[in-house]
Each structure stands twice: as C-alpha cells, then as structure tokens.
C-alpha cells in the first residue's frame, strides 16, 4: 500500500494537505510536534472525507527521533511504503538580522531545512526501490524573493528550493519527482499575528490564500497528472510575486 506522510499535518496548510491527499485515496500519516488535540482533529477530518489516517508525532528537526519514528512505522508496515512525502512542518522567528540571536537562526534552519534532509533521506530509499515517489516541499515566497526580517526563514526556504532542484535531478530516472510550492500569505496560525489589513494591500488579489488553495497544488504535484513535472517551484500567492 502506498502511504502519504505529511510533516506538520496537525494544523494549517498541513491539515488541508492531509485531507486533500486522503480524498485522492492515500492513507495519510499525520506528523506533528506536540499538538495532539489538533492532530486528532485532522484525523477526524480525514475520516469524515472517507479516508484513513494515523498519527506519527516526532520532531522533524531531530535526526535521531526522525529515524526512530520512521523505522518504527516501517517495522509496523512491512508491506507498505511512503510513496508521497510532503515536507511541510515549519516555524518562523522573525527579527531584523542585527537583533537576531543564535537560537532564532539555528532553530529556524533546523526545523525548516535540516528536517527536509532528515525525513527525505530516510523515506527516499523505498521510493527508489519501488520506482515511484512524490516529494513536495513547502517553501515560501520568502525563499524566492527574500523578505526583510526573515533572513533565517528566507535562508531555510531558499535552501529548500535549491535542494529540491538538486534532488530532482538525482532521482528522476526512478520516477520519483521532487517539487516545491511557494505560498505567499496564507490564513493559518503562522500568520494570525500579522497586520493583515496592511499586508493585503500588497496582494493583487487583495486577500490571503486559504490552506486548501495550497493543498490543491500539492495534491496535483503528488498525482499521476504531474508525472513529467520535477525540480519546479509553484508560486501560490495571489499575484504577489511571480
Ligand atoms: P502552522 O499553522 O503554524 O502549523 C505548523 C505545523 O508544523 C504544525 O502542524 C506543527 O505541529 C508542525 N511543526 C512545527 N515544528 C515541528 C517540528 N519540529 N516537528 C514536527 N512538526 C512540527 O503553519 P502553516 O502556516 O500551516 O505552515 C506550514 C508550512 O507552510 C510551513 O513550512 C511554513 O513555513 C509554510 N508557509 C506558510 C505560509 C503562511 O502564510 N502560512 C506561507 C509560506 C509558507 P504542532 O501542531 O504539534 O505544533
């Protein structure tokens, strides 16, 4: 059986991705850090959509915990593999660089970029052996354009975009595609504190996007319809930057 793993699937964009992939027939593994109640809510939404889901909490920024959780999952599912991986878990910790401390830099890099390496490396082996896989990385407008106050986050997302392009070339012959999506402002907990009335003036569509609008693009990239698309970045930003 082909499973889909969504990191950071408990809330926001990850939750919408879980539901979209379940609607496409994938049993979904919902990863998250600590918000068990939110993860249970995502699971209930997947089941309400007619899908199957299981919870797999672990810290994607921790290599050992990532390996241990994914090894345990594989041991419990000897006949299954993770065919779709959505590297979505992420945090931001904004500050002008002159005031940015070491923790703000390293934590954002660990959670947004090192996680891509730890999770993907572990899941990739069976995708290559089975000769079919889909990897979709949750980048950001910030990683394409760079945003003031986000040197750490822009570096992480920009690094993720470059790694997407490199890995896509490594694995293309085995029918494993690797793409990224780059959302602009999306309505989630991550953007709840931002001055929305001011920011929407920058967006040609004059609104924030919904998690579902991002999830639909992820589901397309994960589908057979996107079989000849790899190493690409799709912007989902209401015209803010293309
Ligand atoms: P969110 O609502 O804050 O949700 C973040 C998710 O990531 C939660 O499920 C959280 O789990 C999980 N997470 C955080 N740290 C983790 C860790 N160390 N290990 C495992 N899971 C972890 O964020 P969002 O807005 O949906 O963002 C999702 C992704 O889209 C992020 O990569 C973000 O950078 C990117 N993005 C967002 C926007 C936007 O406007 N919202 C724009 C561009 C890109 P818990 O529930 O357990 O905390």
């Amino acid at each position: 059986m082909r499973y889909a793993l969504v990191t950071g699937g408990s809330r926001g964009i990850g939750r919408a991705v879980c539901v979209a992939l379940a609607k496409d027939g994938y049993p979904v593994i919902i990863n998250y850090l600590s918000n068990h109640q939110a993860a249970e809510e995502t699971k209930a939404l997947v089941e309400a959509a007619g899908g199957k889901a299981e919870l797999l909490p672990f810290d994607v920024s921790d290599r050992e915990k990532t390996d241990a959780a994914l090894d345990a999952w594989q041991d419990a599912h000897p006949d299954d593999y993770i065919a779709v991986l959505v590297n979505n878990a992420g945090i931001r910790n904004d500050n002008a660089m002159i005031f940015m401390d070491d923790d703000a830099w390293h934590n954002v890099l660990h959670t947004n970029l090192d996680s891509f390496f730890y999770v993907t490396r572990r899941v990739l082996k069976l995708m290559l052996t089975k000769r079919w896989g889909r990897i979709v990385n949750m980048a950001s407008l910030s990683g394409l354009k760079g945003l003031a106050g986000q040197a750490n986050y822009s570096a992480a997302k920009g690094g993720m975009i470059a790694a997407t392009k490199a890995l896509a070339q490594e694995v293309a012959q085995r029918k494993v595609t690797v793409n990224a999506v780059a959302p602009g402002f999306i309505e989630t907990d991550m953007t709840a504190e931002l001055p929305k009335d001011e920011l929407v003036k920058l967006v040609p569509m004059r609104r924030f996007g919904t998690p579902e609008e991002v999830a639909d693009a992820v589901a397309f990239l994960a589908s057979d319809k996107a079989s000849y698309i790899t190493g690409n970045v799709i912007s989902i930003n209401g015209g803010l930057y293309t």
Side-chain angles (χ1 to χ4, degrees):
M1 179 90 84
R2 289 177 176 179
Y3 276 71
L5 168 62
V6 182
T7 69
S10 52
R11 292 185 283 125
I13 294 170
R15 169 179 286 179
V17 170
C18 288
V19 173
L21 293 176
K23 284 182 180 164
D24 284 347
Y26 285 103
V28 178
I29 307 163
I30 303 167
N31 160 261
Y32 59 103
L33 181 60
S34 58
N35 198 333
H36 186 69
Q37 188 185 339
E40 285 286 3
E41 285 167 19
T42 301
K43 184 168 183 272
L45 287 170
V46 165
E47 288 166 355
K52 269 178 50 179
E54 47 190 90
L55 306 186
L56 191 66
F58 62 90
D59 182 349
V60 293
S61 70
D62 184 316
R63 178 176 53 76
E64 286 176 10
K65 288 180 181 157
T66 298
D67 281 345
L70 292 173
D71 286 348
W73 184 87
Q74 196 66 63
D75 288 347
H77 295 77
D79 299 325
D80 304 319
Y81 85 107
I82 295 167
V84 176
L85 167 62
V86 183
N87 286 304
N88 166 78
I91 55 167
R92 65 181 182 86
N93 188 348
D94 302 349
N95 212 338
M97 197 197 257
I98 197 163
F99 301 120
M100 192 176 285
D101 62 24
D102 288 4
D103 282 351
W105 177 266
H106 289 299
N107 290 342
V108 167
L109 267 289
H110 288 325
T111 302
N112 294 282
L113 184 59
D114 294 353
S115 61
F116 156 80
F117 174 57
Y118 298 149
V119 180
T120 306
R121 177 177 60 175
R122 175 63 188 73
V123 166
L124 195 56
K125 285 180 200 152
L126 274 178
M127 287 186 186
L128 294 174
T129 312
K130 304 278 185 189
R131 292 179 179 265
W132 198 94
R134 294 280 186 271
I135 298 168
V136 184
N137 298 318
M138 196 58 64
S140 169
L141 169 71
S142 187
L144 287 169
K145 180 180 180 288
L147 290 180
Q150 292 197 321
N152 50 358
Y153 187 82
S154 295
K157 297 299 190 183
M160 184 183 233
I161 288 168
T164 297
K165 294 177 181 178
L167 181 61
Q169 295 171 61
E170 287 181 24
V171 299
Q173 287 187 8
R174 298 274 179 133
K175 293 190 183 169
V176 177
T177 67
V178 190
N179 291 290
V181 296
F185 294 115
I186 308 298
E187 301 259 15
T188 69
D189 294 344
M190 187 178 272
T191 53
E193 314 256 290
L194 297 180
K196 187 175 169 188
D197 291 348
E198 288 304 308
L199 292 172
V200 288
K201 292 177 190 159
L202 305 173
V203 183
M205 287 192 183
R206 296 289 185 268
R207 66 176 179 86
F208 279 18
T210 66
E212 289 72 21
E213 286 172 316
V214 180
D216 283 342
V218 173
F220 167 67
L221 289 171
S223 74
D224 277 322
K225 290 178 185 164
S227 52
Y228 202 54
I229 301 174
T230 197
N232 254 287
V233 187
I234 298 182
S235 286
I236 307 166
N237 58 27
L240 183 56
Y241 175 83
T242 50

